[in-house]
Amino acid sequence: MSEPKPPTPTPGDTYKGWLFKWTNYIKGYQRRWFVLSNGLLSYYRTQAEMGHTCRGTINLATANIAVEDSCNFVISNGGAQTYHLKASSEVERQRWITALELAKAKAVRMQAESDDSGDDCSTAPPTAGQGGGCRNSEIQSTLRTMGSKVEDLTTCNDLIVKHGSALQRSLSELEGIRVGGDMGEKIRQVTERATLFRITSNAMINACRDFLGMAQTHSKRWQKALMTERDQRIRLEETLEQLAKQHNHLERAFRGATVLPSSFSNPALGNKGGVSGKGDASDEDDDNEFFDAMEDPAEFITVPADPKYHRSGSNLSGFSSETGIDDQSVNFDELSLASNPESPQSLELEPVRQRRTHIPDKPNYYLNLWSIMKNCIGKELSKIPMPVNFNEPLSMLQRLSEDLEYYELLDKGAKCQSSLEQMCYVAAFTVSSYSTTVHRTGKPFNPLLGETFELDRLRECGYRSLCEQVSHHPPAAAHHAISEKGWTLRQEISLASKFRGKYLSIMPLGSIQCLFDKSDNHYSWKKVTTTVHNIIVGKLWIDQSGEIDVVNHKTGDRCHLKFAPYSYFSRDVPRKVTGVVTDKDGKAHYVLSGTWDEKMELSRVMQSSKGENGTEGKQRTVYQTLKAKEIWRKNPLPEGAENMYFFSTLALTLNEFEEGVAPTDSRRRPDQRLMEDGRWDEANAEKQRLEEKQRTARREREREAVKVACSPEEGAHQDNYQALWFEKLDDPVSGETLHVYKGGYWEAKDQGSWEICPDIF
């Protein structure tokens, strides 16, 4: 059954009807009920919603109406609101355009009349010093307007008197004429009514004049009353502001938020991108509501320690002087270099290689993201074929090696005598590995099976590391780094990722271990979840959230780190990280606080006690701490980093070609090299070739496995690939199973013997 034909719009009418409104890229145009009334265009999901729920309203007085095609038109008020609408036919669209233009003209006229009748006080809010004068001007303006209206009424009254007198004269002349009795009676009735009308109009004029006089008489009284109300309002606002500040201070001190130094100002989130495209911010669909991350209450509170702990010459205010961050600012590295005759500065060393500081700027290629991602919702990210447009010219193995950017933290930890102090450096190193991700929204290349990456910084930094892709499904990479300063870092990371339409979740699986030679301390921890927001619409931004437990398996020391998820409603610093270092008995010794994208600070705990219950009934611990000391700060990005994928100084050097590396090294990967050079079309073609070559090699290994398997069904799902430089072992200390470096790579490099390396490129 067809819907009733809407009436032709006329000026002043309320116009209603169905239109299709653009909602978002997922649902497109949706049918909505629109109502045009009093210069306002409102819409509802159904006609039944008109009585209780309005989905959005736009004022036509300041709106721009534009026609796109035969059925589509756009209404916008300057960027804050934009409605992309579509009518069922061209005739229907023209009806709406006519109604909207008429309503807009009327709304503009009414607004102009309203502006003309006002005064300057309506355009700017009164300040504290001119509020009374503004209100006095309003009263005087009102009185002038009233006086003008009374004068108009007086003019009307004069005209009434003039015409009434003429009417009475005419009627008197008619009475003198001899006419029938009925006619004379009617003339007398008209005369009486005219007299009554004149009397009534005079009474109205007199009443208006009396009202004007009363208004003038009482204007001073009104002005005084308004000034009194204004003063009371200002005092109330000041009182409320003071109470709000006191409440905020008490809440931050006692509701559980760790008190950070004043240097941790609340920066605006540059990666909190505004939504672009055709969609507006109205509440379109209940099933698309965004639920913000809950702000978990902090588990502890820090307060300044008693002054008795700040004794002169004591090391209680921070670490021991060996670590170089106590109150006396003793720098251990400078001290050791000056006193150690075998230090690198005292020996003749070969010139250190100059690394590159720039790569070709990122090209600006347009790509329809939704055309690729719409069929990938709910799938494993590693199984989605992606063009290089979403990548950065580094592989996942190189991204793992970036964890070593702040290797100095482990160098300092290796010098610590106390395992608790060493734990602080390991925890800071754990947080520092996320600092490079804050602007890095590009996806690293998935390594090919058997791909490797070496990072030899033995001369410059005293360490060298090796990564190898040891599994393809699921993708897993093993990493091993060893330093001359007495520490070893090893990790095996496998990524599980899901695309949810609005965001991408990346869950790192596996373990990271750090071993110190001198103390024989053995640490292990895992990574937190990385979330990439605004995948489809808006500016991409990254958040890290979750908890990490860094455990010293030898001493039982533990550091519990909490990465707070970003919340629109939180008063805390964005990207906040807090942690507590405890011994095997659970006694707290240090508190860490900061952000994973800027810096970390630590405070030594002098005393702890149980505080008040929090919002969820949990009793929080109150730590009395000494003055915080900075333990780590992020290095500034190189100049022009925004045009170079936001790479850090270390990241810029990772894909720099080096002679003598293995044939399987990521630097030799052709699609990655083409992308870095800006030749993205060629890189996409090369990437498809390499992926197909890898699939062919896997099918060949499966066929080999079938030959030696007991049954074809059993062998069809087996992949007999063996890692070249790593072997899977059970760690007796941590109880974990992971790939451990078995040796031989650096010896093969020295000899230039790479015969065992497969041809993967």
Side-chain angles (χ1 to χ4, degrees), residues 3 24 87 115 123 198 216 250 279 352 368 404 432 441 445 455 481 495 520 549 593 607 694 731 733 756:
E3 296 181 357
N24 51 54
D115 293 341
T123 61
R198 187 178 71 250
Q216 292 173 341
L250 292 173
V352 176
N368 187 352
L404 296 170
S432 70
T441 56
F445 279 79
L455 184 62
L495 297 179
D520 202 27
D549 281 315
S593 60
Q607 190 174 350
Q694 180 173 237
D731 182 21
V733 178
I756 63 173

Side-chain angles (χ1 to χ4, degrees), residues 441-729:
T441 56
K443 174 183 175 291
F445 279 79
N446 289 333
L448 302 173
L449 187 61
E451 184 176 337
T452 61
F453 178 74
E454 69 165 65
L455 184 62
D456 191 352
R457 294 291 191 269
L458 204 58
R459 291 182 179 177
E460 302 101 311
C461 309
Y463 72 85
R464 54 173 33 164
S465 79
L466 175 67
C467 292
E468 181 182 356
Q469 186 77 358
V470 295
S471 174
H472 186 62
H473 285 300
H479 181 207
H480 179 270
I482 187 169
S483 171
E484 292 180 334
K485 301 296 179 65
W487 55 264
T488 301
L489 182 74
R490 61 192 187 194
Q491 57 180 322
E492 181 177 347
I493 298 297
S494 176
L495 297 179
S497 53
K498 288 292 183 180
F499 173 54
R500 301 299 185 183
K502 292 183 179 181
Y503 61 91
L504 175 69
S505 294
I506 303 172
M507 293 77 70
L509 308 176
S511 175
I512 308 172
Q513 298 184 359
C514 185
L515 295 78
F516 291 95
D517 300 339
K518 183 178 179 181
S519 61
D520 202 27
N521 287 329
H522 189 136
Y523 298 87
S524 69
W525 65 92
K526 298 181 183 297
K527 288 183 174 288
V528 295
T529 299
T530 300
T531 305
V532 184
H533 295 272
N534 295 341
I535 291 293
I536 300 301
V537 178
K539 183 178 180 180
L540 294 174
W541 60 280
I542 291 178
D543 192 26
Q544 312 285 353
S545 60
E547 298 182 1
I548 295 178
D549 281 315
V550 184
V551 181
N552 185 340
H553 296 279
K554 178 184 177 182
T555 63
D557 301 338
R558 182 180 298 266
C559 178
H560 181 74
L561 293 170
K562 183 175 181 180
F563 290 66
Y566 174 77
S567 172
Y568 286 98
F569 308 104
S570 175
R571 289 184 293 270
D572 282 333
V573 179
R575 311 181 185 100
K576 177 181 176 182
V577 181
T578 56
V580 180
V581 176
T582 58
D583 58 22
K584 63 179 180 180
D585 299 322
K587 180 182 177 181
H589 291 266
Y590 293 97
V591 170
L592 292 94
S593 60
T595 58
W596 52 265
D597 69 323
E598 185 179 356
K599 66 177 180 179
M600 288 295 293
E601 295 182 341
L602 65 89
S603 304
R604 185 164 185 176
V605 177
M606 306 311 301
Q607 190 174 350
S608 62
S609 60
K610 293 296 182 180
E612 298 180 357
N613 291 340
T615 56
E616 298 181 356
K618 297 180 180 179
Q619 194 174 35
R620 299 185 182 90
T621 304
V622 178
Y623 295 122
Q624 294 187 28
T625 62
L626 299 181
K627 184 179 179 181
K629 300 291 182 180
E630 184 177 291
I631 188 174
W632 164 76
R633 176 176 288 274
K634 179 186 176 183
N635 297 327
L637 291 176
E639 184 178 357
E642 65 277 4
N643 299 321
M644 299 184 293
Y645 309 90
F646 287 97
F647 280 178
S648 64
T649 303
L650 174 63
L652 289 174
T653 67
L654 294 180
N655 207 43
E656 184 178 11
F657 188 78
E658 296 184 9
E659 296 291 341
V661 297
T664 54
D665 196 272
S666 300
R667 299 177 182 88
R668 299 182 181 273
R669 183 165 175 165
D671 54 349
Q672 188 172 298
R673 180 67 60 187
L674 288 169
M675 182 191 178
E676 183 183 283
D677 293 339
R679 299 154 62 184
W680 285 16
D681 292 337
E682 298 175 58
N684 277 318
E686 191 65 23
K687 182 172 181 288
Q688 294 180 6
R689 182 189 69 82
L690 292 176
E691 290 173 349
E692 182 58 34
K693 183 177 181 180
Q694 180 173 237
R695 285 190 285 268
T696 302
R698 182 177 183 180
R699 288 193 292 266
E700 182 63 29
R701 289 194 303 271
E702 290 177 350
R703 282 194 293 268
E704 292 294 331
V706 169
K707 295 179 181 179
V708 299
C710 298
S711 63
E713 292 78 6
E714 181 181 351
H717 301 286
Q718 291 183 357
D719 190 345
N720 58 353
Y721 176 80
Q722 298 293 329
L724 293 180
W725 313 109
F726 290 80
E727 58 182 347
K728 203 164 190 177
L729 298 175

